[in-house]
Amino acid sequence: MRAKSIFAILCFATACLVATLFFTSSGTAQTGGQPNPDSGNSPASENIFVRYARAYLELAKADLEIALDVNRRIGATYPQTTVQRLRNHVEVAEAKLQYELAGGKNNLHDIHLRELEGARKLAEGKLANAIRVNQRLAGTISALEIQQLRLAAEVARLAIARGRDPTAVRTPHAHLQWQLDQMRNALLRLQIRTDKLAASQ
């Protein structure tokens, strides 16, 4: 079961990274003032960027619905943090669809900041939950783990501040580099969690 969980985490992370690279590269290409015009309102007449964003949103919604359905039928199979991640993912996918429907006229960086805001809420939620657990039963979560959660929440807050710094978006190249740094950090955290799961088998 743990092997399946690890595989699912890796697949999900890979899909997120690929999608982020796609939207970043397409958004960067569109910052030159050449929006993606839609030739009509029907899905068949939409350009590939809109069609991809629409399909990706439907996939994100399906992932969320599966998690909610399993939790309704079986119990808390998907942790609350995972469900919240999936909700955040749907919100971001919706924003990306609106970006493409607008022909790239909106600020793509605002969508990336929204992703960071979702990560901040998750990090702060994990910290608050750990503190509540220790208040009910002292010592359940170690001081080191609490410190790690505090630092993760602080990093998440600073990531937003860093993303709002004008230097992060002064050029398309700077914006792409900022995105790659974010993905590298996320991938490292995922690798650590995967290694921990594998070691506990």
Side-chain angles (χ1 to χ4, degrees), residues 119-120 123-124 147-157 189:
R120 179 194 63 79
E124 291 179 346
Q147 177 65 2
Q148 188 272 340
L149 291 171
R150 287 189 193 282
L151 291 170
E154 179 65 10
V155 167
R157 286 190 288 267
R189 300 298 304 170

Side-chain angles (χ1 to χ4, degrees), residues 7-20 56 187 190:
F7 181 74
I9 290 171
L10 287 174
C11 288
F12 179 73
T14 301
C16 289
L17 290 175
V18 169
T20 303
Y56 193 83
L187 184 57
L190 177 65

